[in-house]
Every structure is written in C-alpha cells, then in structure tokens.
Amino acid sequence: MVLNVASQAFEDSIGLVAPAVVYYQSWLWYADDIIAPALYLAAGIALLLQSGLSFRSMLKNWPVTGLGLAFIAMALGDTLDAHWVVAKGAEAEDLVVSFTSWMSKIGVVIVTGFLTITARHRFERRAADALIFVFLLIWIDQIQMSIALDFAGYAFHVFEELLEVATAAIACFAVGGGGVVEG
C-alpha cells in the first residue's frame, strides 16, 4: 500500500482519463492496487518460505522459488501499474505504451505457466490443482480480458479487476497452508 500511495499521484497525472474520484475513495483502487497485489505478495512469500530458507534449498526447489518470485514480481508490478506507467512516464508514444503493457502481460502468462507446470509435482495434489487453476485464470485475465478486450468499458474493467482479486486469493490460499512442498 505504501508503494502504491507513493506512486498513485504520478499514475493519475499521466493517465489517459482523469479519475472521477480521488483514488483512496474508490473501492476499485483497493481491489486493483492493494488487495490483489497483497494476496500475490503473500503467496509469493509463502512459496519462498516453503522452498527453503537456504540458498541451496531454494536452488533445489527452483520451480517453487521461481513461482514465488513471479508472484512477488506480479504484486509489485501490479501495485505500481508498471506495465504501462514506466513507458508512459518516459513519455513514450501510445503505441509503445500499449506494446509494453501487452508484452508484460504475455510475459506474466509465459513465466507463470512454465513455473506452474514445472513446479506442480512438488506440491500436494490440492495445491497443484489450485495452482493450475490460478494459471488458467491468469491467462484468461491477462490475455483474453486485458489484451483482447482492452477497451470494453468500465463495467468490464471492474469484472476484470475482481477476477484478479479472486485469482490472487486462490493462489494465496492454495500455498498458504504450509507444508505443501513435497520435494
């Protein structure tokens, strides 16, 4: 929340449309920039803790470590809206801003897909199944909804952000029980 509050004024100043209300009065801001990233951050930290605290155990469990780091990166990138703010803040053309945003979303899907598939056998069945479902939801959210239906309107945007919160919650609860790493 601290990171987002520190960056939100800049984000609002470079946005395509001026916000209708101050960000901290919008429940969607909490869902999009605070709750979902916090849940992804918690899932990432839980995965790192479960892969082991030593460098050797993190290397041994590299798919779990990688998935944990991917969730943490998603949390930080999402709370700062880095997928478009970095390019827009550098005063890039709109086409470049769209390209960097879309490529970061495609990158998230590729990385989480690879790491989920690679790490699945290291989890108990319920956690592995939940993480595969999380990957499917990430793919739907990032590719099908955020890219393919980019300009579908505000109501659609609300649904997409709520799907993101649900996905992060499933990820968090799937790995948050402790002891799910088998290998």
Side-chain angles (χ1 to χ4, degrees):
M1 186 170 194
V2 171
L3 282 175
N4 186 272
V5 169
S7 68
Q8 192 64 43
F10 177 69
E11 181 182 329
D12 288 349
S13 73
I14 64 172
L16 191 57
V17 178
V21 297
V22 180
Y23 65 90
Y24 55 82
Q25 293 178 345
S26 169
W27 67 270
L28 189 59
W29 172 74
Y30 291 98
D32 177 28
D33 290 346
I34 305 301
I35 297 170
L39 290 169
Y40 275 126
L41 182 65
I45 291 170
L47 286 170
L48 289 182
L49 291 174
Q50 291 175 45
S51 68
L53 294 176
S54 71
F55 184 70
R56 176 175 273 190
S57 63
M58 285 187 169
L59 282 179
K60 178 183 173 195
N61 291 315
W62 70 266
V64 177
T65 303
L67 193 57
L69 292 172
F71 283 160
I72 290 169
M74 286 171 56
L76 295 175
D78 192 28
T79 197
L80 299 173
D81 287 319
H83 61 97
W84 70 272
V85 169
V86 172
K88 187 72 173 178
E91 298 180 6
E93 294 180 26
D94 287 341
L95 183 62
V96 173
V97 173
S98 292
F99 181 77
T100 59
S101 178
W102 293 343
M103 290 310 294
S104 71
K105 291 170 190 260
I106 291 168
V108 163
V109 170
I110 291 170
V111 168
T112 57
F114 171 75
L115 291 169
T116 300
I117 290 165
T118 307
R120 76 185 183 291
H121 66 281
R122 296 177 184 255
F123 292 98
E124 294 174 355
R125 175 113 190 206
R126 69 167 184 82
D129 290 348
L131 286 171
I132 290 169
F133 184 58
V134 163
F135 166 70
L136 177 65
L137 292 177
I138 288 171
W139 175 72
I140 290 168
D141 180 61
Q142 297 294 310
I143 304 297
Q144 297 305 117
M145 296 177 79
S146 292
I147 294 176
L149 300 170
D150 195 20
F151 300 105
Y154 183 76
F156 182 79
H157 175 69
V158 169
F159 178 75
E160 185 262 329
E161 296 302 348
L162 293 177
L163 176 62
E164 190 175 311
V165 170
T167 303
I170 294 168
C172 187
F173 293 124
V175 301
V180 295
V181 176
E182 292 179 342

